[in-house]
Amino acid sequence: MDNATISSLSAELAARKLSSVELTGHFLSRIKALNAKYNCFVTLDEERSLAQARAADARRSAGSGQPLTGIPIAQKDIFCAAGWRTTCGSRMLSNFVSPYDAHVVAQLDAAGAVNLGKTNMDEFAMGSSSETSYYGPVRNPWDVHTVPGGSSGGSAAAVAARLAPGATGTDTGGSIRQPAAMTGICGLKPTYGVVSRYGMIAFASSLDQAGPMARTAEDLALLMTTMAGYDARDSTSLERERENYARELGKPLAGLRIGLPKEFIAEGASADVVKAVEAAVAELGRLGCTTVEVSLPNMRLAVPVYYVLAPAEASSNLARYDGARYGYRAPEYADLADMYKKTRSQGFGAEVKRRILIGTYVLSHGYYDAYYIQAQRVRRLIARDFAEVFERCDVIMGPTSPTTAFRIGEKMGDPVQMYLNDIYTTPANLAGLPGLSIPCGFDAKGLPVGLQIIGNYFAEARMLNVAHQYQRATDWHTRTPPGVE
Amino acid sequence: MRSEGQIHYPFPITHYREAAMKWETVIGLEVHAQLSTRSKMFSGAATAFGAPPNTQACEVDIALPGVLPVANREAVAKAVRFGLAVGGKINRRSIFARKNYFYPDLPKGYQISQYEMPIVQGGAIGIFVDGREKIIRLTRAHLEEDAGKSLHEGFHDFTGIDLNRAGTPLLEIVSEPEMSGAQEAVAYARALHALVRWIEICDGNMQEGSFRCDANVSVRPAGSDKLGTRCEIKNLNSFRFLERAIEFEARRQIGILEDGGVIEQETRLYDAARDETRSMRTKEDAHDYRYFPDPDLLPLEVSESWIGEIRSNLPELPQARQRRYQDEYGLSGYDAGLLTQSRELSEFYEALVRRLAGFYKLGASWVLNEFMASLNRAGLEIHQAPVSSERLAGLLKLIADNTISGRAAKEVFDAMWNEGMDADSIVEYRGLKQISDSGELERICEEVIAANARQAEDYRSGKEKAFNSLVGQVMKATRGKANPQQVNEILKRKLSG
Amino acid sequence: MALSLDDVRRIAHLARIGIDEAEAQAALAQLNDVFGLIAEMQAVDTGGVEPMSHALDVVQRLREDAVTETDQHALFQSIAPHVENGLYLVPKVIE
């Protein structure tokens, strides 16, 4: 059961060889046994999960099951779920029980999926290591002294440790792909606007995008088909036909043109990472793909641009946490101004406060043009680079992260070093393009390496096809962390 | 409230009058008009006034984590409607921006507004002051959302927050600083108030806060073309307060300048109870709203065809109607202006003259005089008037066809107003019908001539005055019911015979 | 261009984040490191390039003017720090 994929579990549920109550109960007991080790989950609600499982079983019995009916899915704690405590990794929302469902949660619920629990994450998704959580750092199942990446580190570690067959994540600057890479699983950040942001707690609105995390590309396609879709409550949600993201999985890859940006290797990737990525590209060559060297000349600017735009939007998005209507309020204060300052000073952690300060500064009078507007202009240059590259290739490939998982605490004192970790992932967010990370090998220490596939707008099905064909030819995605059977 | 005679002058009034001659007050107004939509600007919550606290504040309005705004099409249409009505430029593409500041009635910590690219730019409104028309140009009009309400009374050491109003669509209408003096500012505010009601984008209810004014007031040496430092006065929720606040503020600023002082740019609050403005003690430079385009809202596009559709649904506008009253109905500019000051009044007049099929001047005169006077005396709105346009038309028809005299008509009108009957019935039971039976009048005239032989002789010998006396006698004999023209005619014929 | 300690205090106040002297000092050093990283972007010639606010070049979708929300204040206020008579209470606002 632990190593079974969502698609195989779905088949067993459909064949009535397995009930959702059994399946959900199994994962819940694994979580109870192992969560102390990995700190993946911040909130469990067995009763609710099992009630959903029973409902799913009834639905299967009634013959109205869908592929995800009865499948337990771990929810990143950034998604509001009615009746569930939803903390976003923050003390600020430590007592916030959401009165409503995020669109993604409602979609999965409507498909009959079971909410297995809420996963740990960097506070308000601000981090690349899942260490900034108020609920303590998440540990990487491949080596518990290392980070699982972030911000969706709880979801990634849960899937890697076989505490859940699949999970949701969000990606603002790499928060799905980078933890997927560091924990040896798969993660997809869709095209901006394809998955509704309604009920997904905002970090940087123009960059945030939700997506699935699982162990195979096929499972990502299954989850994505349910998660994606137009939502009238999100103005940036695109009105498009519903897609079956599994529709191209079986397509042969012959003739696929892979663009290899020279900057992806030049900008400081470790030798082990480069080696694994090159081997993956070679494997795809054997499957009939061709390669072409391309250039994204402005890519090196993505991190500086990202660290202007994302904090700017965040500084405004996080202004609602003022202790007036919900969430944390400081226990003692002299007056209103003091209540605001103490509530926000105590309720937010160091990284969140740092980014709020950066964002406030770049939007403030006299600095707006030099920082914010300039960053938006460079953002366009980065997006144009991609547009030119996609004239010459179908997908772009490179490493997801310059290094494999680093040690817990290693970069916490040095924000700049932490931020530079996002160098390969932020460009796709800035351009709004879909990005995928799949496991493609290990470094000398036995830690997983991720291959990043970036596609053109709305090319998710094609990208999943590439990943699926690669996974049919390789077995990196089936490897289990030490101690996990 | 202080009466006119008790105005609290900041320095001696004689000094002020001399000083005032040397200074010119310049005013620009920012008006917040609540757009009369069913639901809010960015959420599906109701906008009805007076609901119990927070019962119309949905998850978007209270800014729960994760919620998102979706703009109301009707609010956009109403903003476009306004832009077209004032002849402004409708920006095909406008941008919603966030204005960031902390305040308990602002749940998101920012207000969604429009900053660099508003939906309407330019346009103008005509006002009448002392019988002269003046054009006030508009800078812009932009869409934004209202804040909630803070209730300071009733809780010891606490302020209560009601977010029912939070998110209500507002059109902020900004004028150029082109009004000199409180009188012009009030005339502008009234004209704008009438217009937003005329085009049915705002109910104009000032008590409920549907139409609120902030005034930017500055003074400068008379004849100077450079603007002085301005102060923004908030909380002006009636035309009277607007006038008083500007007058006070102008005096305050002139006083400071006369004493060699400097005006500090600041936000001031008008305190109606004390009839004064006072500093809100917030330095302008302490505000840094950090405006930036709202990443949750894509550019707002208004298509040419949508603009065309809105244009074709616009009612005839007050200025066009005023021109038509002058050109086609032959009304004076003054009367035409008065009749088009409110949509309700103008519609009343339209209905009246439609029924009369003409008699435009007669209709205008009655509407602007007897009807308005009675309305004002009774403190009623037009739709509450006991005399409908249909009944007033019934009365005016009787005047037009000489059934009753003008004098009797006034009596009939009062009776209609007080007794709620139609003109025909009143004329009937009060016996006010003019005698138009010429046989009977001929007889009465003959009797009067016979009984007043000396006056008749005087008239024949050229004493015109004597004629009036004879007419008076006839009127007396008919108890005022004779048609004076007819009497004149008969008497002249008989006296010359 | 480096931030000053006054800048840090000013933006902390704008963001309503309480910050003591030691925290301000620590934040100053870290923010200056971050702005050192950001400086690279500032040097780029972006003449004639339109700022990009959104990932996709699409326009805003509008909703019809209909009341779709019902009164849920009891639910919403069940998680509020301080309410009375249906109102959210905060320390007295002085104007």
Side-chain angles (χ1 to χ4, degrees):
Chain A
M1 226 183 277
D2 297 351
N3 283 312
T5 61
I6 293 174
S7 49
S8 65
L9 290 170
S10 178
E12 287 190 52
L13 287 167
R16 314 294 294 145
K17 286 186 197 155
L18 179 68
S19 75
S20 178
V21 170
E22 286 171 88
L23 186 61
T24 303
H26 170 79
F27 281 112
L28 283 171
S29 34
R30 269 190 75 77
I31 293 165
K32 277 187 282 184
L34 294 167
N35 198 44
K37 189 175 171 191
Y38 306 122
N39 199 23
C40 295
F41 287 84
V42 289
T43 305
L44 294 175
D45 188 336
E46 272 187 76
E47 276 320 300
R48 264 174 205 277
S49 301
L50 289 169
Q52 277 186 301
R54 282 190 293 273
D57 285 334
R59 196 167 152 180
R60 289 273 188 193
S61 301
S64 55
Q66 290 176 20
L68 292 184
T69 304
I71 302 288
I73 301 294
Q75 291 280 9
K76 185 178 181 181
D77 204 20
I78 199 167
F79 292 101
C80 287
W84 286 82
R85 184 174 77 134
T86 300
T87 71
C88 218
S90 182
R91 183 187 196 185
M92 189 61 93
L93 293 174
S94 49
N95 58 359
F96 177 71
V97 177
S98 178
Y100 80 105
D101 272 338
H103 186 255
V104 163
V105 171
Q107 296 273 97
L108 285 167
D109 189 44
V114 173
N115 184 347
L116 193 54
K118 307 295 288 290
T119 62
N120 204 353
M121 54 182 282
D122 279 304
E123 185 180 7
F124 285 101
M126 297 179 194
S128 310
S129 65
S130 300
E131 291 170 284
T132 70
S133 170
Y134 177 65
Y135 307 94
V138 182
R139 292 172 181 277
N140 191 329
W142 293 90
D143 174 353
V144 291
H145 303 294
T146 68
V147 302
S151 64
S152 312
S155 285
V159 173
R162 276 55 174 169
L163 303 184
T168 55
T170 62
D171 191 316
T172 305
S175 283
I176 288 174
R177 291 161 288 160
Q178 186 253 21
M182 287 189 173
T183 58
I185 67 158
C186 306
L188 171 66
K189 180 207 97 75
T191 304
Y192 184 85
V194 163
V195 178
S196 168
R197 293 183 298 114
Y198 197 84
M200 180 182 127
I201 298 176
F203 161 19
S205 312
S206 79
L207 305 165
D208 295 344
Q209 190 58 196
M213 304 175 84
R215 286 201 308 278
T216 66
E218 191 183 8
D219 285 359
L220 290 183
L222 262 177
L223 289 171
M224 185 62 189
T225 300
T226 296
M227 289 171 71
Y230 167 69
D231 176 14
R233 291 174 305 171
D234 174 0
S235 283
T236 60
S237 167
L238 297 165
E239 284 181 279
R240 306 177 75 246
E241 290 282 311
R242 276 206 90 88
E243 267 187 64
N244 174 5
Y245 288 93
R247 68 183 186 275
E248 292 187 26
L249 289 180
K251 227 170 123 177
L253 297 184
L256 183 92
R257 297 169 301 166
I258 300 171
L260 299 171
K262 55 183 187 214
E263 295 81 2
F264 264 56
I265 303 301
E267 305 279 339
S270 75
D272 285 357
V273 167
V274 173
K275 213 171 101 189
V277 169
E278 281 173 351
V281 172
E283 179 64 40
L284 287 161
R286 283 189 285 278
L287 296 174
C289 302
T290 59
T291 60
V292 51
E293 192 192 82
V294 294
S295 175
L296 296 167
N298 293 294
M299 198 197 80
R300 70 193 159 79
L301 301 169
V303 167
V305 166
Y306 177 85
Y307 280 95
V308 171
L309 298 182
E313 293 182 18
S315 71
S316 178
N317 282 334
L318 271 61
R320 67 190 57 200
Y321 307 109
D322 60 4
R325 299 166 311 286
Y326 52 79
Y328 180 78
R329 181 189 283 197
E332 284 172 17
Y333 40 84
D335 53 25
L336 179 71
D338 198 39
M339 182 190 96
Y340 282 156
K341 288 189 177 182
K342 287 208 169 81
T343 294
R344 291 167 61 78
S345 174
Q346 296 163 14
F348 292 137
E351 182 62 26
V352 170
K353 285 190 268 191
R354 181 153 49 238
R355 295 204 197 182
I356 290 175
L357 293 180
I358 295 168
T360 303
Y361 185 73
V362 300
L363 289 176
S364 68
H365 186 70
Y367 300 97
Y368 178 74
D369 288 341
Y371 287 107
Y372 187 75
I373 292 295
Q374 172 71 358
Q376 285 199 328
R377 293 188 203 277
V378 180
R379 180 180 185 179
R380 189 169 298 280
L381 296 179
I382 292 166
R384 279 184 195 164
D385 285 353
F386 277 110
E388 280 169 31
V389 165
F390 281 121
E391 304 265 307
R392 301 176 52 212
C393 63
D394 303 305
V395 290
I396 292 169
M397 286 190 197
T400 303
S401 168
T403 66
T404 54
F406 45 88
R407 293 183 77 76
I408 289 173
E410 188 184 322
K411 296 186 180 180
M412 278 298 273
D414 189 345
V416 169
Q417 280 314 303
M418 187 71 95
Y419 297 172
L420 285 171
N421 200 56
D422 303 335
I423 185 155
Y424 301 135
T425 44
T426 48
N429 298 85
L430 292 169
L433 292 165
L436 173 62
S437 181
I438 54 171
C440 70
F442 293 89
D443 71 358
K445 290 175 280 182
L447 295 170
V449 175
L451 169 72
Q452 186 177 204
I453 305 173
I454 298 173
N456 211 338
Y457 299 106
F458 312 115
E460 288 86 351
R462 183 67 165 147
M463 293 154 65
L464 289 165
N465 156 242
V466 176
H468 181 64
Q469 292 303 319
Y470 175 77
Q471 291 183 333
R472 283 181 58 186
T474 60
D475 67 351
W476 303 115
H477 60 289
T478 65
R479 308 288 180 92
T480 51
V484 177
E485 306 303 303
Chain B
M1 192 79 46
R2 288 157 200 267
S3 70
E4 201 62 40
Q6 294 170 294
I7 294 174
H8 166 70
Y9 290 104
F11 61 99
I13 188 160
T14 46
H15 177 185
Y16 169 68
R17 286 207 175 117
E18 278 169 35
M21 303 292 290
K22 293 190 279 174
W23 300 95
E24 183 193 2
T25 309
V26 180
I27 301 139
L29 288 191
E30 289 170 21
V31 169
H32 290 88
Q34 275 184 7
L35 297 173
S36 44
T37 53
R38 287 186 206 97
S39 64
K40 291 187 179 173
M41 184 68 223
F42 297 110
S43 83
T47 54
F49 182 82
N54 291 306
T55 56
Q56 288 177 173
C58 72
E59 62 202 39
V60 174
D61 305 323
I62 68 169
L64 285 183
V67 298
L68 294 170
V70 184
N72 186 332
R73 167 179 291 273
E74 186 57 26
V76 176
K78 284 186 154 64
V80 171
R81 199 168 156 90
F82 176 81
L84 293 173
V86 296
K89 174 184 166 217
I90 310 299
N91 280 321
R92 290 285 309 278
R93 192 176 257 248
S94 63
I95 303 292
F96 284 110
R98 293 184 182 178
K99 178 182 183 179
N100 295 283
Y101 64 96
F102 285 86
Y103 203 78
D105 65 15
L106 189 72
K108 295 188 293 298
Y110 58 85
Q111 178 194 32
I112 305 177
S113 182
Q114 296 192 300
Y115 185 57
E116 282 182 345
M117 190 54 85
I119 187 158
V120 177
Q121 279 176 303
I125 281 185
I127 61 168
F128 283 92
V129 178
D130 298 332
R132 278 184 313 111
E133 188 175 24
K134 179 172 175 177
I135 302 297
I136 305 295
R137 285 176 303 162
L138 302 182
T139 313
R140 58 189 274 157
H142 66 253
L143 281 162
E144 62 183 31
E145 55 176 346
D146 211 341
K149 277 182 188 164
S150 301
L151 300 145
H152 303 296
E153 271 90 50
F155 300 99
H156 193 63
D157 296 336
F158 294 102
T159 292
I161 307 296
D162 175 7
L163 298 173
N164 280 349
R165 197 181 67 180
T168 300
L170 293 177
L171 189 66
E172 180 173 333
I173 304 156
V174 183
S175 82
E176 290 289 309
E178 293 191 336
M179 287 154 268
S180 40
Q183 208 193 350
E184 281 189 15
V186 170
Y188 164 79
R190 284 189 185 279
L192 190 59
H193 184 254
L195 179 69
V196 296
R197 293 176 69 220
W198 188 288
I199 60 174
E200 294 169 312
I201 62 166
C202 169
D203 68 19
N205 190 324
M206 294 177 86
Q207 283 81 47
E208 292 177 3
S210 302
F211 187 91
R212 315 194 289 268
C213 305
D214 296 339
N216 286 307
V217 179
S218 64
V219 296
R220 63 183 172 195
S224 163
D225 56 4
K226 223 182 103 205
L227 289 171
T229 304
R230 69 185 157 85
C231 290
E232 184 180 6
I233 315 171
K234 292 199 171 283
N235 194 32
L236 303 170
N237 54 11
S238 80
F239 295 126
R240 183 181 151 79
F241 292 168
L242 174 64
E243 183 170 12
R244 303 290 289 240
I246 292 170
E247 279 172 357
F248 176 90
E249 181 60 19
R251 282 194 299 276
R252 188 188 72 86
Q253 292 186 17
I254 291 169
I256 290 170
L257 294 172
E258 284 281 311
D259 291 346
V262 179
I263 307 297
E264 225 176 299
Q265 182 165 340
E266 61 179 355
T267 302
R268 300 178 69 86
L269 198 69
Y270 177 65
D271 183 336
R274 295 179 174 192
D275 190 24
E276 63 180 30
T277 67
R278 59 187 152 81
S279 177
M280 290 176 78
R281 314 236 169 268
T282 45
K283 292 270 174 289
E284 287 288 312
D285 60 5
H287 289 294
D288 185 340
Y289 292 124
R290 290 158 283 137
Y291 283 99
F292 73 108
D294 192 330
D296 287 329
L297 295 162
L298 299 159
L300 173 62
E301 199 169 84
V302 182
S303 69
E304 231 22 275
S305 66
W306 192 18
I307 295 173
E309 187 190 317
I310 295 167
R311 193 192 303 277
S312 68
N313 288 327
L314 265 183
E316 184 183 25
L317 295 172
Q319 278 174 337
R321 192 167 275 188
Q322 187 189 344
R323 227 171 298 122
R324 181 163 63 83
Y325 287 176
Q326 289 177 256
D327 297 348
E328 293 178 23
Y329 294 0
L331 302 189
S332 70
Y334 185 74
D335 281 359
L338 288 178
L339 282 171
T340 51
Q341 269 189 348
S342 89
R343 178 95 181 260
E344 258 190 306
L345 179 64
S346 182
E347 293 300 321
F348 184 89
Y349 175 68
E350 292 278 308
L352 178 72
V353 296
R354 227 179 357 257
R355 287 181 184 281
L356 288 173
F359 300 98
Y360 303 116
K361 284 185 178 175
L362 178 70
S365 161
W366 274 82
V367 168
L368 292 174
N369 296 307
E370 272 72 18
F371 181 74
M372 286 305 288
S374 303
L375 216 51
N376 291 340
R377 249 194 318 276
L380 296 176
E381 299 292 329
I382 287 170
H383 67 269
Q384 301 168 312
V387 174
S388 65
S389 61
E390 184 183 354
R391 290 213 163 152
L392 185 57
L395 171 63
L396 301 194
K397 272 181 195 155
L398 297 178
I399 300 173
D401 67 9
N402 287 327
T403 307
I404 57 171
S405 67
R407 198 155 50 123
K410 288 192 172 54
E411 186 187 333
V412 176
F413 180 82
D414 288 342
M416 285 164 70
W417 189 277
N418 295 320
E419 296 162 28
M421 290 164 75
D422 63 38
D424 288 329
S425 316
I426 293 166
V427 167
E428 192 62 38
Y429 89 81
R430 293 204 174 187
L432 293 171
K433 207 175 248 178
Q434 294 194 124
I435 299 167
S436 43
D437 175 342
S438 52
E440 196 188 345
L441 266 188
E442 297 257 349
R443 187 180 53 76
I444 295 169
C445 286
E446 280 167 20
E447 282 172 16
V448 165
I449 291 168
N452 298 279
R454 200 162 62 85
Q455 277 91 335
E457 205 44 51
D458 285 354
Y459 173 74
R460 289 199 183 94
S461 61
K463 288 186 182 162
E464 286 286 330
K465 251 178 130 181
F467 186 75
N468 289 343
S469 161
L470 291 170
V471 171
Q473 291 297 328
V474 175
M475 294 312 278
K476 196 177 164 191
T478 59
R479 295 193 0 257
K481 289 185 285 182
N483 180 334
Q485 256 178 301
Q486 218 176 341
V487 172
N488 282 1
E489 192 189 301
I490 297 170
L491 278 176
K492 278 186 182 156
R493 176 158 40 79
K494 296 214 178 283
L495 288 166
S496 63
Chain C
M1 187 202 58
L3 274 73
S4 68
L5 209 51
D6 273 349
D7 288 329
V8 175
R9 289 195 202 97
R10 179 176 60 85
I11 56 178
H13 172 70
L14 272 177
R16 297 298 185 273
I17 289 175
I19 189 166
D20 65 26
E21 213 41 45
E23 288 168 327
Q25 291 282 1
L28 177 64
Q30 285 177 328
L31 292 182
N32 275 325
D33 279 354
V34 175
F35 280 100
L37 171 74
I38 290 170
E40 194 185 353
M41 163 212 91
Q42 292 190 281
V44 178
D45 177 7
T46 52
V49 181
E50 268 296 294
M52 180 174 165
S53 293
H54 300 281
L56 299 171
D57 187 21
V58 282
V59 297
Q60 196 177 149
R61 176 166 38 77
L62 302 171
R63 53 166 241 285
E64 292 311 310
D65 179 26
V67 176
T68 54
E69 301 297 321
T70 52
D71 172 22
Q72 293 193 77
H73 82 282
L75 174 63
F76 296 156
Q77 294 191 341
S78 69
I79 51 167
H82 193 179
V83 283
E84 215 172 295
N85 299 335
L87 296 161
Y88 294 98
L89 293 195
V90 296
K92 193 137 205 118
V93 177
I94 301 139
E95 269 187 358

